[in-house]
Amino acid sequence: MDFLKLKAEILELANRCEGRVGVYIQSEEGIIEENCRKAFSSASLIKVPILLAGLSQAENGLLQLEEEVQINNAVRVGGSGVLQSMSKGLKMKVIDLMTLMIIVSDNTATNLVIDLIGKENINGYMKNIGLKNTELNRKMMDFEALKKGVDNTTTARDMAFCLEGLAERSILSVENKDLARRILNGQQYKNKLANTVDLEKVQVANKTGELPGVEHDCGIFTGNGRTVYTAVLVDQLKNQAAGRDVLSFIGNRIYRYMIKD
């Protein structure tokens, strides 16, 4: 599949979806964009820039990745993750909390990392690296804030730009960019953009997100000498499966483009 066909098929898929779709896909041959600067609820995609902010703090001596943090009952929240179900008295290193935040989207781990870094520091870091329309305004599972209209927001362009920074720009040291890529590569949720991808041929380092009516995924596709930075955000869904389907279809088209099918 050539780039022009890829672009045409992805835009058609986006326009056919029952929900609103934001797309930003960047390859060496060009950019595909649709609603890419329109704000969406970030859902768990916000955890990617939180990870990068944490690694930046570690570089500057403001966060110790090997420090152990107590996981007490007061900090445990529901939703995705494993810490909510683990034994009392558990301690975990900061780097392990950050890893769980990404690979199983652990909400308890995320909230602990937010407390360690500070919401203002996270938002400041995001602005500094060029995320123009991404904001952390509440912790995970804070549905009281959500009822009041307080939410975390991002755009497809910002999420793809964030991922592109791990390869193309100096947002972190080489060591920490590699660490962030390894953590994203360990992602356990591959049921959206990577759903039909042969991961032995094309690697997908990604982060998913979902809320009622919302299905997102962003990732770095690498393989066959190509790299594609991708963010697809879908909201206003009446049927969650419709959002997952469009993400799967778009991921399949990117895969076919990368292996030159």
Side-chain angles (χ1 to χ4, degrees):
M1 179 185 293
D2 64 26
F3 182 77
L4 290 177
K5 185 175 181 182
L6 173 71
K7 182 174 183 178
E9 290 196 7
I10 285 178
L11 292 178
E12 181 183 2
L13 286 165
N15 288 321
R16 281 195 347 228
C17 181
E18 70 171 39
R20 181 180 66 143
V21 181
V23 174
Y24 192 92
I25 298 170
Q26 179 179 332
S27 81
E28 67 275 11
E29 294 187 273
I31 292 171
I32 303 168
E33 53 188 356
E34 178 79 8
N35 295 326
C36 69
R37 288 177 171 79
K38 292 187 177 179
F40 288 70
S41 172
S42 70
S44 287
L45 297 193
I46 196 72
K47 296 170 184 177
V48 176
I50 292 173
L51 169 68
L52 304 188
L55 294 176
S56 175
Q57 289 260 305
E59 283 184 10
N60 292 302
L62 301 173
L63 185 66
Q64 303 302 316
L65 297 182
E66 297 299 313
E67 179 185 349
E68 290 192 333
V69 177
Q70 182 80 40
I71 316 296
N72 57 49
N73 286 339
V75 302
R76 297 176 194 245
V77 296
S80 58
V82 296
L83 291 182
Q84 59 181 298
S85 302
M86 298 184 75
S87 60
K88 295 181 181 179
L90 177 69
K91 290 184 178 180
M92 187 163 288
K93 291 180 180 180
V94 173
I95 186 58
D96 294 328
L97 291 174
M98 293 165 69
T99 300
L100 287 176
M101 174 178 70
I102 298 297
I103 68 171
V104 292
S105 205
D106 196 292
N107 289 323
T108 297
T110 305
N111 287 348
L112 285 166
V113 172
I114 291 171
D115 286 340
L116 288 166
I117 304 172
K119 187 172 69 174
E120 289 185 2
N121 290 328
I122 293 168
N123 282 322
Y125 176 79
M126 292 191 297
K127 297 302 180 189
N128 286 340
I129 65 170
L131 307 188
K132 297 180 180 179
N133 298 290
T134 302
E135 290 186 355
L136 174 68
N137 295 310
R138 66 172 179 86
K139 288 186 176 181
M140 304 304 108
M141 304 304 289
D142 186 352
F143 291 115
E144 289 303 313
L146 200 53
K147 287 178 184 176
K148 297 175 183 176
V150 178
D151 199 5
N152 304 321
T153 58
T154 192
T155 66
R157 179 264 180 200
D158 274 7
M159 291 311 306
F161 191 71
C162 186
L163 294 174
E164 184 262 350
L166 290 176
E168 308 295 338
R169 290 176 287 114
S170 300
I171 63 172
L172 291 169
S173 68
V174 172
E175 179 183 2
N176 279 320
K177 285 196 290 186
D178 288 345
L179 175 56
R181 287 284 291 267
R182 288 199 302 273
I183 292 172
L184 287 163
N185 279 331
Q187 175 60 244
Q188 299 297 297
Y189 299 136
K190 299 287 190 181
N191 63 332
K192 296 183 184 180
L193 285 172
N195 189 44
T196 65
V197 173
D198 183 343
L199 297 174
E200 292 186 359
K201 294 182 178 179
V202 173
Q203 191 174 60
V204 184
N206 72 299
K207 181 72 194 78
T208 63
E210 56 271 330
L211 287 169
V214 171
E215 293 284 348
H216 299 334
D217 201 356
C218 65
I220 306 170
F221 287 67
T222 52
N224 201 27
R226 288 180 164 178
T227 300
V228 176
Y229 305 98
T230 304
V232 183
L233 284 59
V234 189
D235 68 4
Q236 300 176 12
L237 290 164
K238 295 179 181 177
N239 178 3
Q240 297 284 142
R244 291 191 295 271
D245 284 347
V246 76
L247 284 159
S248 178
F249 293 152
I250 288 174
N252 176 264
R253 300 313 190 272
I254 295 169
Y255 170 68
R256 288 170 52 198
Y257 163 73
M258 294 186 70
I259 63 171
K260 301 180 180 178
D261 181 9

